[in-house]
Amino acid sequence: MPEGDTVFRAARRLNDALAGAEVTEFDLRVPRFATVDLTGETVESVVARGKHLLHRIGTWTLHSHLKMEGEWHVYARGERWRNAAFKARAIVGNRRWQTVGFDLADIDLVPTVQEETLVGYLGPDPLATDWDAAEAARRVQADDRPVHVAILDQRSVAGFGNVYANEILFVRGVDPHTPASATDARAIVDLGTRMIRANRDRSARTFTGENRPGRRFWVYGREGAPCRRCGTVIRATTLGADPTKERNVFWCPRCQT
């Protein structure tokens, strides 16, 4: 599931393949930008901002979001694609590498000087060099909604997704229904930061310290299973900022009080 750590790794792979090289292939397969051609420009960098990817190409920024199913692949020239061609939405390549974005939900292209119009609303990113823990905690603390919802609000912290929200709250022992304003927001943010940084370089994230399949999560996806700490049955519900944004919530009613 693409969350901040997944997007960070994707940006790093893309940057390694593209940064500093001249674009020899550029194709955006969306009607609004179908005629745009940035071949001949140089890729300055590819960076992540929360769950967003930014290709800085010449004086332009190509923005994409993976949502639930999107992914970017990196191929050596002539290598066969591992996904169906009809799913490709963006192609950026140079003489050595071809990068392909499949099932991308959002694609935008703006002058780099206008980049903030796309991502300026995001809160601090724990994987960014300008991470501001105090500001992230302040934003979470100011939210009266359930803390699970507050953690997922990208305007407060950029990069935490539903898996992180569930696992952070279990480890902190916080009931997900608790208003964020009634929690120790700084402790929650600091724990989440340690978690996402620990998983930043792992292909399969873990929160328990174990890497075996089925043993990586404390509560996420474990409805009806015994809590790994106390044996109480894990419960599940849904929470969201509105009915269209509800996410699956898992918690231990004994450990998270």
Side-chain angles (χ1 to χ4, degrees):
M1 186 175 298
E3 300 198 18
D5 50 0
T6 304
V7 179
F8 178 91
R9 288 192 299 275
R12 184 167 56 190
R13 290 194 303 271
L14 291 165
N15 190 71
D16 288 346
L18 298 173
E22 179 183 333
V23 175
T24 59
E25 181 181 16
F26 189 86
D27 184 9
L28 300 183
R29 298 181 177 181
V30 291
R32 189 156 52 120
F33 302 115
T35 61
V36 175
D37 184 6
L38 296 185
T39 57
E41 300 284 355
T42 298
V43 176
E44 304 299 328
S45 62
V46 183
V47 300
R49 285 281 298 274
K51 300 180 182 182
H52 301 252
L53 277 164
L54 304 173
H55 289 67
R56 293 164 179 159
I57 306 172
T59 60
W60 294 88
T61 292
L62 169 63
H63 163 266
S64 60
H65 196 295
L66 303 183
K67 294 293 185 180
M68 294 295 291
E69 299 178 349
E71 55 187 350
W72 277 90
H73 292 187
V74 178
Y75 299 102
R77 275 290 164 194
E79 185 179 355
R80 185 172 180 175
W81 290 0
R82 299 185 300 276
N83 212 334
F86 74 86
K87 295 185 176 184
R89 293 292 178 267
I91 303 171
V92 183
N94 55 40
R95 290 181 176 83
R96 184 178 179 186
W97 302 103
Q98 183 184 51
T99 68
V100 186
F102 295 99
D103 291 321
L104 302 177
D106 296 325
I107 297 176
D108 287 290
L109 187 70
V110 298
T112 299
V113 294
Q114 298 176 18
E115 189 177 281
E116 289 300 297
T117 63
L118 299 176
V119 295
Y121 71 94
L122 295 172
D125 180 348
L127 297 181
T129 56
D130 61 352
W131 166 238
D132 187 340
E135 175 59 18
R138 185 194 68 77
R139 296 185 185 199
V140 173
Q141 194 81 66
D143 199 329
D144 290 327
R145 295 175 299 174
V147 63
H148 188 98
V149 174
I151 293 174
L152 292 179
D153 192 330
Q154 300 300 295
R155 297 171 298 179
S156 295
V157 187
F160 293 154
N162 199 39
V163 176
Y164 275 94
N166 279 282
E167 296 293 296
I168 290 168
L169 294 178
F170 173 80
V171 175
R172 281 297 305 166
V174 177
D175 185 312
H177 303 86
T178 307
S181 56
T183 68
D184 184 344
R186 183 58 186 261
I188 288 172
V189 167
D190 286 348
L191 174 62
T193 300
R194 293 197 300 274
M195 285 179 169
I196 201 167
R197 289 180 178 177
N199 282 315
R200 178 177 55 191
D201 300 321
R202 293 175 174 146
S203 57
R205 65 174 72 101
T206 179
F207 298 90
T208 62
E210 295 193 45
N211 288 315
R212 290 179 294 164
R215 299 290 300 178
R216 297 188 178 106
F217 301 136
W218 291 106
V219 291
Y220 183 79
R222 300 190 65 244
E223 179 184 7
C227 174
R228 300 194 193 282
R229 281 183 176 170
C230 72
T232 301
V233 173
I234 298 299
R235 297 178 63 183
T237 187
T238 57
L239 287 172
D242 61 59
T244 67
K245 297 179 181 178
E246 289 190 342
R247 298 291 183 267
N248 293 324
V249 178
F250 306 91
W251 83 102
C252 172
R254 182 175 180 182
C255 293
Q256 294 174 254
T257 57

